[in-house]
Amino acid sequence: VYPRSLTESRNLPDGDIVEAVAVTLIPFSVSCPDSASDTLERAGEISNQTDDFRLKTISYCNIGYVLMKQNKLAEALERFNESMELAKKMKDTLTSSVLHYLTADVKLQQSKYNEAISYANESLKLANQVDYSVGKVYSRRVLSETYFKIRDYKKAKQIGYEALEYIKENSTYLYY
């Protein structure tokens, strides 16, 4: 159960850890990531103070996601890379899949198409290892968009249809 406010979280046991989780979740509940700068700054401060690798990994990933939405792509990649290193240390395959498709998305936005394809393929491989539905679909989305950008329309269409078929067959609810 998450606290209703940051003030409330400070009164709970391990308040800083609870606050860090709450702070990193707030940007996702806000429809405009541009308004999340103060929240991101506080989340970063708290994340840097903890020894909890899992919390740092999630925090850096979430901070990177909001930075990506703010079009601060270099900063987003820094956070994704920090998070990816922690996920590797923890052998967290699911989070690694998320970080790879988010990195692929940034590389796509930067027009670094070969890198986008490489990261998206790695994400798909990791998602398949842990049967992570969202990773399977999002990786294909990035691949399809990337192939479309490089004008390989046949491959873009094929991968796009693979994602749609997967959703239909598995009744996958997508979020993120």
Side-chain angles (χ1 to χ4, degrees):
V1 176
Y2 294 106
R4 285 185 295 263
S5 71
L6 293 178
T7 305
E8 183 180 328
S9 72
R10 289 187 182 106
N11 297 325
L12 295 172
D14 298 319
D16 275 356
I17 293 173
V18 174
E19 181 179 23
V21 172
V23 165
T24 58
L25 289 173
I26 288 171
F28 291 102
S29 65
V30 177
S31 61
C32 181
D34 294 331
S35 65
S37 294
D38 291 339
T39 303
L40 287 175
E41 189 173 315
R42 181 71 178 129
E45 290 169 9
I46 294 167
S47 298
N48 287 332
Q49 294 171 10
T50 185
D51 292 330
D52 184 336
F53 283 157
R54 180 83 181 129
L55 176 63
K56 278 186 178 183
T57 303
I58 293 168
S59 297
Y60 292 162
C61 178
N62 290 348
I63 292 167
Y65 178 80
V66 174
L67 289 166
M68 180 180 74
K69 292 298 183 185
Q70 292 175 332
N71 207 32
K72 297 177 181 176
L73 302 180
E75 292 174 62
L77 282 176
E78 286 177 32
R79 289 301 184 165
F80 293 153
N81 287 332
E82 289 172 318
S83 188
M84 213 176 292
E85 287 303 314
L86 293 170
K88 282 181 192 174
K89 284 181 186 177
M90 294 185 315
K91 297 180 171 92
D92 183 346
T93 306
L94 189 144
T95 302
S96 291
S97 175
V98 171
L99 290 161
H100 278 81
Y101 71 66
L102 290 172
T103 301
D105 211 353
V106 171
K107 297 297 185 177
L108 172 61
Q109 291 176 54
Q110 293 176 325
S111 301
K112 296 180 178 177
Y113 302 123
N114 289 334
E115 290 179 56
I117 291 168
S118 178
Y119 276 101
N121 278 326
E122 182 65 15
S123 175
L124 184 57
K125 182 180 101 179
L126 294 167
N128 283 326
Q129 286 175 12
V130 292
D131 198 25
Y132 176 46
S133 297
V134 173
K136 292 177 183 181
V137 173
Y138 274 74
S139 299
R140 287 182 174 110
R141 179 199 54 84
V142 175
L143 284 168
S144 181
E145 285 184 38
T146 305
Y147 283 113
F148 185 84
K149 287 283 190 180
I150 61 175
R151 297 193 164 121
D152 187 341
Y153 301 120
K154 184 176 179 181
K155 191 136 185 157
K157 181 180 175 182
Q158 173 202 340
I159 293 170
Y161 278 125
E162 286 174 13
L164 289 173
E165 283 303 310
Y166 183 85
I167 292 168
K168 282 188 221 175
E169 290 172 10
N170 296 282
S171 301
T172 301
Y173 171 76
L174 298 179
Y175 60 91
Y176 207 69

